[in-house]
Amino acid sequence: MSLKFSRDHEWVNVSNPDSAIVGITLHAQDALGDVVFVDLPEVGASFKQGDVAGVVESVKAAADVYMPVDGEIVEVNEALRDDPSLANTAPLAEGWFFKVKLAVPSQLDDLLDEAAYEAFAKEA
């Protein structure tokens, strides 16, 4: 497992060279507060890095979920759709948003490792 982070506060768990799991970071979850709704992308949809791939709504605000890498959505977390609070209780586990087939795996090199993300999030 290799965890990477975007500057838009998404995490990317790379379990193999071809695909990754994406969710929102603890920093994003803390900023949003209690998540009440998620709008997930359609399976089969393709996105470019930086595209809006979904929306998360909380009691405080709504925020876009950005695609951290180019790719095609191969699975969405239906459990999260049914229970959006998973984004609060387990944002790095059961609260994942979608799985993506990587179109340009080298884009992962531009994402932050955990230490760099933590430093970035403290300044945000």
Side-chain angles (χ1 to χ4, degrees):
M1 176 174 95
S2 174
L3 212 53
K4 298 282 201 160
F5 299 87
S6 76
R7 288 177 171 78
D8 294 316
H9 305 288
E10 285 82 29
W11 56 263
V12 181
N13 180 350
V14 184
S15 54
N16 69 57
D18 298 329
S19 66
I21 301 170
V22 177
I24 61 171
T25 65
L26 289 170
H27 179 81
Q29 179 271 315
D30 286 342
L32 284 168
D34 292 333
V35 174
V36 295
F37 175 78
V38 294
D39 182 22
L40 299 171
E42 293 292 321
V43 171
S46 291
F47 295 92
K48 293 289 187 188
Q49 186 176 43
D51 287 352
V52 174
V55 176
V56 59
E57 294 181 13
S58 73
V59 294
K60 291 183 186 178
D64 292 330
V65 176
Y66 296 96
M67 189 69 154
V69 291
D70 291 2
E72 177 186 342
I73 304 300
V74 294
E75 185 179 344
V76 296
N77 186 352
E78 294 297 341
L80 184 64
R81 197 185 312 261
D82 295 337
D83 183 6
S85 70
L86 289 172
N88 295 110
T89 58
L92 297 174
E94 292 85 15
W96 60 276
F97 278 58
F98 51 83
K99 293 182 182 177
V100 60
K101 181 179 178 186
L102 303 173
V104 186
S106 63
Q107 288 177 327
L108 295 168
D109 297 338
D110 297 331
L111 299 178
L112 304 172
D113 64 19
E114 190 167 4
Y117 176 76
E118 290 298 325
F120 169 78
K122 285 180 183 172
E123 295 173 8

